[in-house]
Amino acid sequence: MSFPLYRARPVLVSAVRWDGTETMLALLKRSWTPALCFVRISDEDGVIHSTAALRVPTPEGALTAQVGDWVIRDSQGGLYPVRGHVFDRMYEQMS
């Protein structure tokens, strides 16, 4: 028995490669949502440190983008982090 084949529908997204800088964070907050922020971790002494990772609020809950990951915005305005190698396989630049 053979099963039918399916092709993913083309979808356009806005995307930016996360570089871990405050400048990029400020730009994303102004352009997309003020809810974006650096991931903060606490060490064993309870001291809280910022990291270069980005906390991305998605419709399914918060996810993390590491430096080199892409943050995409879909046609409904939802934000999602996408690992670099996955983004490179799935998307090509249009403009």
Side-chain angles (χ1 to χ4, degrees):
M1 173 178 189
S2 63
F3 295 99
L5 299 174
Y6 293 86
R7 179 185 346 203
R9 292 183 180 150
V11 60
L12 295 177
V13 299
S14 299
V16 63
R17 183 164 242 163
W18 174 241
D19 67 4
T21 64
E22 299 231 5
T23 302
M24 176 71 71
L25 177 60
L27 176 64
L28 288 172
K29 287 177 112 171
R30 276 194 316 272
S31 300
W32 286 353
T33 178
L36 292 164
C37 64
F38 284 114
V39 172
R40 291 174 177 25
I41 57 170
S42 60
D43 61 21
E44 59 235 16
D45 298 324
V47 177
I48 297 176
H49 303 275
S50 285
T51 68
L54 181 69
R55 182 184 172 279
V56 181
T58 75
E60 291 81 27
L63 297 174
T64 301
Q66 302 294 334
V67 172
D69 290 350
W70 289 80
V71 180
I72 65 169
R73 188 170 104 187
D74 66 18
S75 59
Q76 286 81 38
L79 300 177
Y80 299 91
V82 178
R83 299 288 180 236
H85 69 281
V86 174
F87 184 90
D88 292 342
R89 264 198 333 253
M90 295 182 65
Y91 298 97
E92 62 184 347
Q93 187 171 346
M94 300 296 295
S95 61

Coordinates of all heavy atoms in Angstrom, one line a residue:
M1 N 0.8 -1.2 0.0 CA 0.0 0.0 0.0 C 0.9 1.2 0.0 O 1.8 1.3 0.8 CB -0.9 0.0 1.2 CG -1.7 1.2 1.4 SD -2.7 1.1 2.9 CE -3.7 2.6 2.6
S2 N 0.6 2.2 -0.8 CA 1.3 3.4 -0.8 C 0.4 4.5 -0.3 O -0.8 4.5 -0.4 CB 1.8 3.8 -2.2 OG 0.7 4.0 -3.1
F3 N 1.1 5.4 0.4 CA 0.4 6.6 1.0 C 0.6 7.8 0.1 O 1.6 8.0 -0.6 CB 0.9 6.8 2.4 CG 0.6 5.7 3.3 CD1 1.6 4.7 3.6 CD2 -0.6 5.6 3.9 CE1 1.4 3.7 4.5 CE2 -0.9 4.5 4.8 CZ 0.1 3.6 5.1
P4 N -0.4 8.7 0.2 CA -0.3 9.9 -0.6 C 0.9 10.8 -0.1 O 1.3 10.8 1.0 CB -1.6 10.7 -0.4 CG -2.3 10.0 0.7 CD -1.7 8.7 0.9
L5 N 1.5 11.5 -1.1 CA 2.5 12.5 -0.8 C 2.0 13.9 -0.5 O 1.0 14.2 -1.1 CB 3.5 12.6 -1.9 CG 4.2 11.3 -2.3 CD1 5.1 11.5 -3.5 CD2 5.1 10.8 -1.1
Y6 N 2.6 14.6 0.4 CA 2.2 16.0 0.7 C 3.3 16.9 0.7 O 4.5 16.5 1.0 CB 1.6 16.0 2.1 CG 0.3 15.3 2.3 CD1 0.2 13.9 2.6 CD2 -0.9 15.9 2.1 CE1 -0.9 13.2 2.7 CE2 -2.1 15.2 2.2 CZ -2.1 13.9 2.5 OH -3.3 13.2 2.6
R7 N 3.1 18.1 0.2 CA 4.1 19.1 0.2 C 3.7 20.3 1.2 O 2.5 20.6 1.2 CB 4.2 19.7 -1.2 CG 5.3 20.8 -1.3 CD 5.3 21.5 -2.7 NE 4.6 20.7 -3.7 CZ 4.8 20.8 -5.0 NH1 5.7 21.6 -5.4 NH2 4.1 20.1 -5.8
A8 N 4.6 20.8 1.9 CA 4.3 21.9 2.8 C 3.9 23.1 2.0 O 4.5 23.4 0.9 CB 5.5 22.2 3.7
R9 N 2.9 23.8 2.5 CA 2.4 25.0 1.8 C 3.5 26.1 2.0 O 4.1 26.2 3.1 CB 1.1 25.5 2.3 CG 0.0 24.6 2.0 CD -1.3 25.1 2.5 NE -2.4 24.2 2.1 CZ -3.4 24.0 2.8 NH1 -3.7 24.7 3.9 NH2 -4.3 23.1 2.4
P10 N 3.7 26.9 0.9 CA 4.7 28.0 1.1 C 4.1 29.0 2.1 O 2.9 29.3 2.1 CB 4.8 28.6 -0.3 CG 3.9 27.9 -1.2 CD 3.2 26.8 -0.4
V11 N 5.0 29.5 2.9 CA 4.6 30.5 3.9 C 5.7 31.6 4.0 O 6.9 31.3 3.9 CB 4.3 29.9 5.3 CG1 5.6 29.2 5.8 CG2 3.8 30.9 6.3
L12 N 5.3 32.8 4.1 CA 6.2 33.9 4.2 C 6.4 34.3 5.7 O 5.3 34.4 6.3 CB 5.8 35.1 3.4 CG 5.8 34.9 1.8 CD1 5.3 36.2 1.2 CD2 7.1 34.5 1.3
V13 N 7.6 34.5 6.1 CA 7.8 34.9 7.5 C 8.8 36.1 7.5 O 9.6 36.2 6.6 CB 8.4 33.8 8.4 CG1 7.4 32.6 8.5 CG2 9.7 33.3 7.9
S14 N 8.8 36.9 8.5 CA 9.8 37.9 8.7 C 10.8 37.2 9.6 O 10.4 36.4 10.5 CB 9.3 39.1 9.5 OG 8.3 39.8 8.7
A15 N 12.1 37.4 9.4 CA 13.1 36.7 10.2 C 14.3 37.6 10.5 O 14.7 38.4 9.7 CB 13.5 35.4 9.5
V16 N 15.0 37.3 11.6 CA 16.2 37.9 12.0 C 17.1 36.9 12.7 O 16.6 36.1 13.5 CB 16.0 39.2 12.8 CG1 15.3 38.9 14.2 CG2 17.3 40.0 13.0
R17 N 18.4 36.9 12.4 CA 19.3 36.0 13.1 C 19.7 36.7 14.4 O 20.2 37.8 14.5 CB 20.5 35.7 12.3 CG 21.5 34.7 13.0 CD 22.4 34.1 12.1 NE 22.2 32.7 12.1 CZ 22.6 31.9 11.1 NH1 23.3 32.3 10.1 NH2 22.3 30.6 11.2
W18 N 19.5 36.0 15.6 CA 19.7 36.5 16.9 C 21.2 36.6 17.1 O 21.9 35.6 17.0 CB 19.0 35.7 17.9 CG 19.4 36.0 19.3 CD1 20.0 35.2 20.3 CD2 19.1 37.3 20.0 NE1 20.1 35.9 21.4 CE2 19.6 37.2 21.3 CE3 18.6 38.5 19.6 CZ2 19.5 38.2 22.2 CZ3 18.5 39.5 20.5 CH2 19.0 39.4 21.8
D19 N 21.8 37.8 17.5 CA 23.2 37.9 17.7 C 23.6 38.1 19.2 O 24.7 38.2 19.5 CB 23.8 39.0 16.9 CG 23.3 40.4 17.3 OD1 22.5 40.5 18.3 OD2 23.6 41.4 16.6
G20 N 22.6 38.1 20.1 CA 22.9 38.2 21.5 C 23.2 39.6 22.0 O 23.6 39.7 23.2
T21 N 23.0 40.6 21.3 CA 23.4 42.0 21.7 C 22.2 42.8 22.2 O 21.0 42.5 21.8 CB 24.0 42.8 20.5 OG1 23.0 43.0 19.5 CG2 25.2 42.0 20.0
E22 N 22.5 43.7 23.0 CA 21.4 44.6 23.5 C 20.8 45.5 22.4 O 19.7 45.8 22.4 CB 22.0 45.6 24.6 CG 22.5 44.8 25.8 CD 22.0 45.3 27.1 OE1 21.1 46.2 27.1 OE2 22.4 44.7 28.1
T23 N 21.7 45.8 21.4 CA 21.2 46.6 20.2 C 20.1 45.8 19.5 O 19.0 46.3 19.2 CB 22.3 46.9 19.3 OG1 23.3 47.6 20.0 CG2 21.9 47.7 18.1
M24 N 20.4 44.5 19.3 CA 19.4 43.7 18.6 C 18.1 43.5 19.4 O 17.0 43.6 18.9 CB 20.0 42.3 18.2 CG 19.0 41.3 17.6 SD 18.6 41.7 15.9 CE 20.1 41.3 15.1
L25 N 18.3 43.3 20.7 CA 17.1 43.2 21.6 C 16.2 44.4 21.5 O 15.0 44.4 21.4 CB 17.5 42.9 23.0 CG 16.4 42.8 24.0 CD1 15.4 41.7 23.7 CD2 17.0 42.6 25.4
A26 N 16.9 45.6 21.6 CA 16.1 46.9 21.5 C 15.4 47.0 20.2 O 14.2 47.4 20.2 CB 17.1 48.1 21.7
L27 N 16.0 46.6 19.1 CA 15.4 46.7 17.8 C 14.2 45.7 17.7 O 13.1 46.1 17.3 CB 16.4 46.3 16.7 CG 15.8 46.2 15.3 CD1 15.3 47.6 14.8 CD2 16.9 45.7 14.4
L28 N 14.3 44.5 18.2 CA 13.2 43.5 18.2 C 12.1 44.0 19.1 O 10.9 43.8 18.7 CB 13.7 42.2 18.6 CG 14.6 41.4 17.6 CD1 15.2 40.2 18.3 CD2 13.8 41.1 16.4
K29 N 12.4 44.6 20.2 CA 11.3 45.0 21.1 C 10.5 46.2 20.5 O 9.3 46.2 20.6 CB 11.9 45.5 22.5 CG 12.4 44.4 23.3 CD 13.1 44.9 24.6 CE 12.2 44.5 25.7 NZ 12.7 44.7 27.0
R30 N 11.2 47.1 19.8 CA 10.5 48.2 19.1 C 9.7 47.7 17.9 O 8.6 48.1 17.7 CB 11.5 49.2 18.6 CG 11.9 50.2 19.7 CD 12.6 51.4 19.1 NE 13.6 51.1 18.1 CZ 14.9 50.8 18.3 NH1 15.4 50.9 19.6 NH2 15.8 50.6 17.4
S31 N 10.3 46.7 17.2 CA 9.6 46.3 16.0 C 8.6 45.2 16.2 O 7.6 45.2 15.4 CB 10.7 45.7 15.0 OG 11.7 46.7 14.7
W32 N 8.8 44.3 17.1 CA 7.9 43.2 17.2 C 7.1 43.1 18.5 O 5.9 43.1 18.5 CB 8.6 41.9 17.0 CG 9.0 41.6 15.6 CD1 8.6 42.4 14.5 CD2 9.8 40.6 15.1 NE1 9.1 41.9 13.3 CE2 9.9 40.8 13.7 CE3 10.5 39.6 15.6 CZ2 10.6 39.9 12.8 CZ3 11.3 38.7 14.8 CH2 11.3 38.9 13.4
T33 N 7.8 43.1 19.6 CA 7.0 43.1 20.9 C 8.0 43.4 22.1 O 9.1 43.0 22.1 CB 6.4 41.7 21.2 OG1 5.8 41.7 22.5 CG2 7.5 40.6 21.2
P34 N 7.5 44.2 23.0 CA 8.3 44.5 24.2 C 8.5 43.4 25.1 O 9.2 43.4 26.1 CB 7.5 45.7 24.8 CG 6.1 45.6 24.4 CD 6.2 44.9 23.0
A35 N 7.8 42.2 24.9 CA 7.8 41.1 25.8 C 9.1 40.3 25.6 O 9.4 39.4 26.4 CB 6.6 40.2 25.6
L36 N 9.9 40.6 24.6 CA 11.2 39.9 24.4 C 12.2 40.3 25.5 O 12.2 41.5 25.9 CB 11.8 40.2 23.0 CG 11.0 39.6 21.9 CD1 11.5 40.3 20.6 CD2 11.2 38.1 21.7
C37 N 13.0 39.4 26.0 CA 14.0 39.7 27.0 C 15.1 38.7 27.0 O 14.9 37.6 26.5 CB 13.3 39.9 28.4 SG 12.6 38.3 29.0
F38 N 16.2 39.1 27.6 CA 17.3 38.1 27.8 C 16.9 37.1 28.8 O 16.1 37.3 29.7 CB 18.6 38.8 28.4 CG 19.3 39.6 27.3 CD1 19.4 41.0 27.4 CD2 20.0 39.0 26.3 CE1 20.1 41.7 26.5 CE2 20.7 39.7 25.3 CZ 20.7 41.1 25.4
V39 N 17.4 35.9 28.6 CA 17.2 34.8 29.6 C 18.1 35.1 30.8 O 19.2 35.4 30.6 CB 17.5 33.4 29.0 CG1 17.5 32.3 30.1 CG2 16.5 33.1 27.9
R40 N 17.5 35.0 32.0 CA 18.3 35.2 33.2 C 18.4 33.9 33.9 O 17.4 33.1 34.0 CB 17.6 36.2 34.1 CG 17.7 37.6 33.4 CD 17.0 38.7 34.2 NE 17.0 40.0 33.8 CZ 17.2 40.6 32.6 NH1 17.5 39.8 31.6 NH2 17.1 41.9 32.4
I41 N 19.6 33.6 34.4 CA 19.8 32.4 35.2 C 20.4 32.7 36.6 O 21.0 33.8 36.7 CB 20.7 31.4 34.5 CG1 22.0 32.0 34.2 CG2 20.0 30.8 33.2 CD1 23.1 31.1 33.7
S42 N 20.2 31.9 37.5 CA 20.8 32.1 38.8 C 21.8 31.0 39.1 O 21.6 29.9 38.8 CB 19.7 32.2 40.0 OG 19.0 31.0 40.0
D43 N 22.9 31.4 39.7 CA 24.0 30.5 40.0 C 23.7 29.8 41.4 O 22.6 30.1 42.0 CB 25.4 31.1 40.0 CG 25.5 32.2 41.0 OD1 24.8 32.3 42.0 OD2 26.4 33.1 40.8
E44 N 24.5 29.0 41.9 CA 24.3 28.3 43.1 C 24.2 29.2 44.3 O 23.6 28.8 45.3 CB 25.3 27.2 43.3 CG 26.7 27.8 43.4 CD 27.7 27.1 42.4 OE1 27.3 26.5 41.5 OE2 28.9 27.3 42.6
D45 N 24.7 30.4 44.2 CA 24.6 31.4 45.3 C 23.4 32.3 45.2 O 23.2 33.2 46.0 CB 25.9 32.3 45.3 CG 27.1 31.5 45.6 OD1 27.1 30.6 46.4 OD2 28.2 31.9 45.0
G46 N 22.6 32.0 44.2 CA 21.3 32.8 44.0 C 21.5 34.1 43.3 O 20.6 34.9 43.1
V47 N 22.7 34.3 42.8 CA 23.0 35.6 42.0 C 22.4 35.4 40.6 O 22.7 34.4 39.9 CB 24.5 35.9 41.9 CG1 24.8 37.1 41.1 CG2 25.1 36.0 43.3
I48 N 21.6 36.3 40.2 CA 21.0 36.3 38.9 C 21.9 36.9 37.8 O 22.4 38.0 38.0 CB 19.6 36.9 38.9 CG1 18.7 36.2 39.8 CG2 19.0 37.0 37.5 CD1 17.4 36.8 40.0
H49 N 22.1 36.2 36.7 CA 22.9 36.7 35.6 C 22.1 36.7 34.3 O 21.3 35.8 34.1 CB 24.1 35.8 35.4 CG 25.0 35.6 36.6 ND1 26.0 36.5 36.9 CD2 25.0 34.7 37.6 CE1 26.6 36.1 38.0 NE2 26.0 35.0 38.4
S50 N 22.3 37.7 33.5 CA 21.7 37.7 32.1 C 22.6 36.8 31.2 O 23.8 36.7 31.5 CB 21.7 39.1 31.6 OG 20.6 39.8 32.2
T51 N 22.0 36.2 30.3 CA 22.8 35.5 29.3 C 22.5 36.1 27.9 O 21.7 37.0 27.8 CB 22.3 34.0 29.2 OG1 21.0 34.0 28.7 CG2 22.3 33.4 30.6
A52 N 23.2 35.6 26.9 CA 23.0 36.1 25.5 C 21.7 35.4 24.9 O 21.4 35.8 23.8 CB 24.2 35.9 24.7
A53 N 21.1 34.5 25.6 CA 19.9 33.8 25.1 C 18.7 34.7 25.2 O 18.7 35.6 26.1 CB 19.7 32.5 25.9
L54 N 17.8 34.5 24.3 CA 16.6 35.4 24.2 C 15.4 34.6 24.6 O 15.2 33.5 24.0 CB 16.5 35.9 22.7 CG 15.3 36.9 22.5 CD1 15.5 38.2 23.2 CD2 15.1 37.1 21.0
R55 N 14.6 35.2 25.4 CA 13.3 34.6 25.8 C 12.3 35.0 24.8 O 12.0 36.2 24.7 CB 12.9 35.0 27.2 CG 11.6 34.4 27.7 CD 11.2 34.9 29.1 NE 9.9 34.5 29.5 CZ 8.8 35.0 29.1 NH1 8.8 36.1 28.2 NH2 7.6 34.6 29.5
V56 N 11.7 34.1 24.1 CA 10.7 34.4 23.0 C 9.3 34.0 23.4 O 9.1 32.8 23.5 CB 11.1 33.8 21.7 CG1 10.1 34.1 20.6 CG2 12.5 34.2 21.3
P57 N 8.4 34.9 23.6 CA 7.0 34.5 23.9 C 6.3 34.0 22.7 O 6.3 34.7 21.7 CB 6.4 35.8 24.4 CG 7.1 36.9 23.8 CD 8.5 36.4 23.6
T58 N 5.9 32.7 22.7 CA 5.2 32.2 21.5 C 3.8 31.9 21.9 O 3.4 31.9 23.1 CB 5.8 30.8 21.1 OG1 5.5 29.8 22.0 CG2 7.4 30.9 21.0
P59 N 2.9 31.6 21.0 CA 1.5 31.3 21.3 C 1.4 30.0 22.2 O 0.5 29.9 23.0 CB 0.8 31.1 20.0 CG 1.6 31.9 19.0 CD 3.0 31.8 19.5
E60 N 2.4 29.2 22.2 CA 2.4 28.0 23.0 C 3.2 28.1 24.3 O 3.3 27.2 25.0 CB 3.1 26.8 22.2 CG 2.2 26.4 21.0 CD 2.4 27.3 19.8 OE1 3.4 27.9 19.6 OE2 1.4 27.3 19.0
G61 N 3.7 29.3 24.6 CA 4.5 29.5 25.8 C 5.9 30.0 25.4 O 6.3 30.0 24.2
A62 N 6.7 30.4 26.4 CA 8.0 31.0 26.2 C 9.0 29.9 25.7 O 9.1 28.8 26.3 CB 8.5 31.6 27.4
L63 N 9.8 30.2 24.7 CA 10.9 29.4 24.2 C 12.2 30.2 24.2 O 12.1 31.4 24.3 CB 10.6 28.9 22.8 CG 9.4 27.9 22.7 CD1 9.1 27.6 21.2 CD2 9.6 26.7 23.5
T64 N 13.3 29.6 24.0 CA 14.6 30.3 24.0 C 15.3 30.2 22.7 O 15.4 29.2 22.1 CB 15.5 29.6 25.1 OG1 14.8 29.7 26.4 CG2 16.8 30.3 25.2
A65 N 15.8 31.4 22.3 CA 16.7 31.5 21.1 C 18.1 31.7 21.6 O 18.4 32.6 22.4 CB 16.3 32.6 20.2
Q66 N 19.0 30.8 21.1 CA 20.4 31.0 21.4 C 21.1 31.9 20.3 O 20.5 32.0 19.2 CB 21.1 29.6 21.4 CG 20.5 28.7 22.4 CD 20.8 29.1 23.9 OE1 21.7 29.8 24.2 NE2 19.9 28.7 24.7
V67 N 22.3 32.4 20.6 CA 23.0 33.2 19.6 C 23.2 32.3 18.3 O 23.5 31.1 18.4 CB 24.4 33.6 20.1 CG1 25.2 34.2 19.0 CG2 24.2 34.6 21.3
G68 N 22.8 32.8 17.2 CA 22.9 32.1 15.9 C 21.6 31.5 15.5 O 21.4 31.1 14.3
D69 N 20.6 31.4 16.4 CA 19.3 31.0 16.0 C 18.5 32.1 15.3 O 19.0 33.3 15.4 CB 18.4 30.6 17.2 CG 18.9 29.3 17.9 OD1 19.7 28.6 17.3 OD2 18.4 29.1 19.0
W70 N 17.5 31.8 14.6 CA 16.6 32.8 14.0 C 15.4 33.0 14.8 O 14.9 32.1 15.4 CB 16.3 32.4 12.6 CG 17.4 32.4 11.6 CD1 18.4 31.5 11.5 CD2 17.7 33.4 10.7 NE1 19.3 31.9 10.5 CE2 18.9 33.1 10.0 CE3 17.1 34.6 10.4 CZ2 19.5 33.9 9.0 CZ3 17.7 35.4 9.4 CH2 18.9 35.0 8.7
V71 N 14.9 34.2 14.8 CA 13.5 34.5 15.4 C 12.7 34.9 14.2 O 13.0 35.8 13.4 CB 13.6 35.6 16.4 CG1 12.2 35.9 17.0 CG2 14.6 35.3 17.5
I72 N 11.6 34.1 14.0 CA 10.7 34.4 12.9 C 9.3 34.9 13.4 O 8.9 34.6 14.6 CB 10.5 33.2 12.0 CG1 9.7 32.0 12.8 CG2 11.8 32.7 11.4 CD1 9.3 30.9 11.9
R73 N 8.7 35.7 12.6 CA 7.3 36.2 12.9 C 6.5 35.7 11.7 O 6.7 36.0 10.6 CB 7.3 37.7 13.0 CG 6.0 38.2 13.5 CD 6.1 39.7 13.8 NE 5.4 40.4 12.7 CZ 5.4 41.7 12.6 NH1 6.1 42.4 13.4 NH2 4.8 42.3 11.6
D74 N 5.4 34.9 12.1 CA 4.6 34.4 11.0 C 3.5 35.4 10.6 O 3.4 36.5 11.1 CB 4.0 33.0 11.5 CG 3.0 33.1 12.7 OD1 2.5 34.3 13.0 OD2 2.7 32.1 13.3
S75 N 2.6 35.0 9.7 CA 1.6 35.9 9.1 C 0.6 36.3 10.2 O -0.1 37.3 10.0 CB 1.0 35.2 7.9 OG 0.3 34.0 8.3
Q76 N 0.4 35.5 11.3 CA -0.5 35.9 12.3 C 0.2 36.7 13.4 O -0.4 37.1 14.4 CB -1.2 34.7 13.0 CG -2.2 34.0 12.1 CD -1.6 33.1 11.0 OE1 -0.6 32.4 11.3 NE2 -2.2 33.1 9.8
G77 N 1.5 37.0 13.3 CA 2.2 37.8 14.3 C 2.9 37.0 15.3 O 3.5 37.5 16.2
G78 N 2.7 35.7 15.3 CA 3.4 34.8 16.3 C 4.9 34.8 16.1 O 5.4 34.7 15.0
L79 N 5.6 34.8 17.2 CA 7.1 34.7 17.2 C 7.5 33.3 17.6 O 6.9 32.7 18.5 CB 7.7 35.7 18.1 CG 7.3 37.2 17.9 CD1 8.0 38.1 19.0 CD2 7.8 37.6 16.5
Y80 N 8.6 32.8 16.9 CA 9.1 31.5 17.2 C 10.6 31.5 17.0 O 11.1 32.1 16.0 CB 8.5 30.5 16.2 CG 7.0 30.3 16.3 CD1 6.2 31.1 15.5 CD2 6.5 29.5 17.3 CE1 4.8 31.0 15.7 CE2 5.1 29.3 17.4 CZ 4.3 30.1 16.6 OH 2.9 30.0 16.7
P81 N 11.4 30.9 17.9 CA 12.8 30.7 17.6 C 13.0 29.5 16.7 O 12.2 28.5 16.8 CB 13.4 30.5 19.0 CG 12.3 29.9 19.8 CD 11.0 30.5 19.2
V82 N 14.0 29.5 15.8 CA 14.2 28.4 14.9 C 15.8 28.2 14.9 O 16.5 29.2 14.7 CB 13.7 28.7 13.5 CG1 14.1 27.5 12.5 CG2 12.2 29.0 13.5
R83 N 16.2 27.0 15.1 CA 17.7 26.7 15.1 C 18.2 27.1 13.7 O 17.5 26.9 12.7 CB 17.9 25.3 15.5 CG 17.5 24.9 16.8 CD 18.3 25.5 17.9 NE 17.9 25.1 19.2 CZ 17.6 26.0 20.2 NH1 17.7 27.2 20.0 NH2 17.2 25.6 21.4
G84 N 19.5 27.5 13.7 CA 20.1 28.0 12.5 C 20.0 26.9 11.3 O 19.7 27.3 10.2
H85 N 20.4 25.7 11.7 CA 20.4 24.7 10.6 C 19.1 24.3 10.1 O 18.9 24.0 8.9 CB 21.2 23.4 11.1 CG 20.5 22.6 12.2 ND1 20.4 23.0 13.5 CD2 19.7 21.5 12.1 CE1 19.7 22.2 14.2 NE2 19.2 21.2 13.3
V86 N 18.0 24.4 10.9 CA 16.7 24.2 10.5 C 16.2 25.3 9.6 O 15.6 25.1 8.6 CB 15.7 24.0 11.7 CG1 14.3 23.9 11.3 CG2 16.2 22.8 12.6
F87 N 16.5 26.6 10.0 CA 16.1 27.7 9.2 C 16.7 27.6 7.8 O 16.0 27.9 6.8 CB 16.5 29.0 9.9 CG 16.1 30.2 9.2 CD1 14.8 30.8 9.5 CD2 16.9 30.8 8.3 CE1 14.4 32.0 8.9 CE2 16.5 32.0 7.6 CZ 15.2 32.5 7.9
D88 N 18.0 27.3 7.8 CA 18.7 27.2 6.5 C 18.1 26.2 5.5 O 18.1 26.4 4.3 CB 20.2 26.9 6.7 CG 20.9 28.0 7.4 OD1 20.4 29.2 7.4 OD2 22.0 27.8 7.9
R89 N 17.5 25.1 6.1 CA 16.9 24.1 5.3 C 15.5 24.5 4.8 O 15.0 24.1 3.7 CB 16.7 22.8 6.1 CG 17.8 21.8 5.9 CD 17.4 20.4 6.4 NE 16.5 20.4 7.4 CZ 16.7 20.1 8.7 NH1 17.9 19.8 9.1 NH2 15.7 20.0 9.6
M90 N 14.8 25.3 5.6 CA 13.4 25.5 5.4 C 13.1 26.9 4.7 O 12.0 27.0 4.1 CB 12.6 25.5 6.7 CG 12.6 24.1 7.4 SD 11.7 24.1 8.9 CE 10.0 24.4 8.2
Y91 N 14.0 27.8 4.8 CA 13.7 29.2 4.3 C 14.7 29.7 3.4 O 15.9 29.3 3.5 CB 13.5 30.2 5.5 CG 12.4 29.8 6.4 CD1 12.7 29.1 7.6 CD2 11.1 30.2 6.1 CE1 11.6 28.8 8.5 CE2 10.1 29.8 7.0 CZ 10.3 29.1 8.2 OH 9.3 28.8 9.0
E92 N 14.3 30.5 2.4 CA 15.2 31.2 1.6 C 14.8 32.7 1.5 O 13.6 33.0 1.6 CB 15.3 30.7 0.1 CG 13.9 30.8 -0.6 CD 14.0 30.1 -1.9 OE1 15.1 29.8 -2.4 OE2 12.9 29.9 -2.5
Q93 N 15.8 33.6 1.4 CA 15.5 35.0 1.5 C 14.8 35.5 0.2 O 15.2 35.1 -0.9 CB 16.8 35.8 1.7 CG 16.6 37.3 1.9 CD 17.9 38.0 2.3 OE1 18.9 37.4 2.6 NE2 17.8 39.3 2.2
M94 N 13.8 36.3 0.4 CA 13.0 36.8 -0.7 C 13.3 38.2 -1.1 O 13.1 38.6 -2.2 CB 11.5 36.7 -0.4 CG 11.0 35.4 0.0 SD 11.0 34.2 -1.4 CE 9.9 35.0 -2.6
S95 N 13.8 39.0 -0.2 CA 14.1 40.4 -0.6 C 15.3 40.9 0.2 O 15.8 40.3 1.1 CB 13.0 41.3 -0.3 OG 12.6 41.3 1.1

